[in-house]
Amino acid sequence: MNKYLVILGCFLAFALSSCSGEKEDDLIDVLAYEKQAIHDYLNQYATGEVVAIPYYSRKGLLIDSIFIFNHNTNGEVAKDSGWVMMDYDMSDLSGKILDSSDLGKWDSTYMPGYAYGGPVLFRVDTARYNFLAEAFRHIGVGESGGEVIIPSVLGAVDGKPLHYKLVSRTIFEDVAEHEKEMIQGYLNTFPAAETFKDYPGEAESDTITYTLLMTKGEGTRKLQVGDSVLMSKHLMILDDMGGGIRLKFMNALDTTKILFNERWQRDFPAGFVKGLQQLQEGDSAHIVIPYGMGYGAKGNVQSIKGGGTYYNEPPYCTFGYWVKIMKIVAPNNEEE
């Protein structure tokens, strides 16, 4: 009996080792095909210098290299710290778009990473496998941007190498200081508007929500907790293009009736709540909300089916609302 068990065990071990060898051979073939496909792509589409950046394991063994090409070398490039305001397309080598910050390229075949394209802030640091940070050290600020290919063993979607087209819009060292400048640039376009300031707490701070009164209504009482409110609102985000500020609108104007109670306020950022409390019936205003009184460093996210993250409002997002207060009804004057 034991003799037959030994023979059977030897047979199974041989069979498993053979299968393992076949899988390893298959993987080697796949990686060799991919490497050839990447080099064929570069030979066909790359013009000028191709920068190859090798990556090694902790034991010093070469894993693979990323390739940076068709890149603008005239503009300012990122250093070992700071931030890049960027736009991007991510695709496979066949050109199939997997993600993009360009609204015109979105379709139903993929879930974008950022609602309405961003804005997308990318942190540059010295992390071991920060491939885009390495790319931005070679891609200067400007519309021409640059491209990078990341082999599948370093970073992949569905087991395929990634091809990025990147545009560096602005480079800056400090997010808060950059946001202040951007907000001030927006405020400067409305020099005559009466402006209210709100802070996170009672004391003044560098984090300020600005409410710009565009039209003064006939109301004499500011919005208070417990009021019923009929208002229209239009969500916007500020996006620094480098040469100026663009607005991205997240949704169309809609008219909603709300009960301005504590429960409703918990569902919205502090800056929006404070800005509304500066308004009276008939007022229209722009409420500009810094990230410190909005969704902060994490942004407003939801999970994507199958894995990944989708940003309704991106990390460090500066956003706001165009608001019109159409009617305010105090609790003791509730209408049927």
Side-chain angles (χ1 to χ4, degrees):
M1 181 69 174
N2 291 338
K3 176 181 177 182
Y4 290 110
L5 287 175
V6 171
I7 293 172
L8 178 61
C10 292
F11 174 77
L12 289 174
F14 175 77
L16 290 173
S17 65
S18 298
C19 291
S20 176
E22 290 174 1
K23 290 180 180 179
E24 184 177 342
D25 289 343
D26 288 345
L27 179 60
I28 291 172
D29 290 343
V30 168
L31 293 178
Y33 175 80
E34 177 186 304
K35 189 177 291 290
Q36 186 60 51
I38 289 174
H39 282 85
D40 289 346
Y41 188 95
L42 293 172
N43 287 334
Q44 183 174 359
Y45 295 108
T47 60
E49 177 190 19
V50 176
V51 178
I53 308 293
Y55 283 84
Y56 298 89
S57 70
R58 294 187 180 278
K59 294 184 178 181
L61 299 176
L62 177 65
I63 303 173
D64 212 325
S65 300
I66 67 170
F67 300 93
I68 303 163
F69 57 102
N70 296 345
H71 51 296
N72 166 31
T73 58
N74 296 321
E76 178 188 4
V77 298
K79 307 302 181 185
D80 288 341
S81 63
W83 299 80
V84 176
M85 178 78 76
M86 77 171 190
D87 281 321
Y88 68 95
D89 293 338
M90 183 179 75
S91 64
D92 59 23
L93 292 185
S94 69
K96 178 185 176 183
I97 295 289
L98 305 172
D99 196 359
S100 178
S101 60
D102 185 344
L103 298 178
K105 295 179 180 178
W106 290 10
D107 58 40
S108 59
T109 62
Y110 70 92
M111 184 71 170
Y114 294 83
Y116 296 88
V120 185
L121 280 178
F122 184 81
R123 185 172 185 176
V124 178
D125 57 31
T126 55
R128 186 173 180 82
Y129 296 109
N130 194 339
F131 307 119
L132 295 191
E134 191 61 58
F136 281 121
R137 292 186 180 98
H138 298 269
I139 298 172
V141 172
E143 287 290 338
S144 56
E147 301 177 53
V148 58
I149 291 176
I150 304 172
S152 62
V153 295
L154 294 174
V157 172
D158 295 332
K160 299 178 181 179
L162 299 179
H163 173 219
Y164 280 92
K165 290 185 178 180
L166 303 170
V167 176
S168 176
R169 299 293 184 188
T170 312
I171 294 174
F172 49 90
E173 283 295 319
D174 186 273
V175 172
E177 288 301 320
H178 174 262
E179 181 181 56
K180 288 180 191 176
E181 295 176 5
M182 184 170 60
I183 290 176
Q184 191 57 55
Y186 183 72
L187 298 179
N188 289 343
T189 62
F190 305 98
E194 182 180 1
T195 302
F196 304 99
K197 295 181 180 181
D198 284 297
Y199 305 96
E202 296 298 325
E204 292 190 7
S205 74
D206 291 338
T207 302
I208 305 170
T209 290
Y210 295 91
T211 303
L212 286 69
L213 189 61
M214 308 307 294
T215 304
K216 179 67 176 172
E218 298 297 325
T220 58
R221 174 181 174 277
K222 289 186 177 181
L223 179 61
Q224 297 177 20
V225 177
D227 288 349
S228 293
V229 186
L230 183 66
M231 67 176 176
S232 62
K233 66 184 189 304
H234 193 158
L235 179 60
M236 63 182 182
I237 53 179
L238 297 185
D239 188 359
D240 186 353
M241 289 282 289
I245 299 169
R246 62 181 173 182
L247 294 180
K248 290 186 176 180
F249 293 102
M250 305 287 280
N251 55 25
L253 281 167
D254 62 351
T255 302
T256 57
K257 185 177 181 179
I258 67 167
L259 178 59
F260 192 69
N261 58 10
E262 292 181 357
R263 180 178 178 180
W264 184 91
Q265 293 176 35
R266 285 196 297 268
D267 292 335
F268 287 86
F272 185 40
V273 172
K274 287 178 176 289
L276 287 177
Q277 290 175 306
Q278 297 288 358
L279 302 179
Q280 303 172 0
E281 187 173 302
D283 289 353
S284 64
H286 296 184
I287 302 174
V288 182
I289 305 167
Y291 73 84
M293 296 179 73
Y295 292 104
K298 293 184 178 180
N300 180 21
V301 303
Q302 67 184 62
S303 297
I304 300 175
K305 186 177 181 180
T309 300
Y310 174 77
Y311 290 102
N312 294 301
E313 284 83 33
Y316 299 101
C317 179
T318 308
F319 72 104
Y321 290 87
W322 292 7
V323 177
K324 181 173 178 62
I325 305 297
M326 302 166 71
K327 191 173 184 63
I328 295 176
V329 180
N332 57 347
N333 291 322
E334 280 286 1
E335 299 176 347
E336 297 294 332

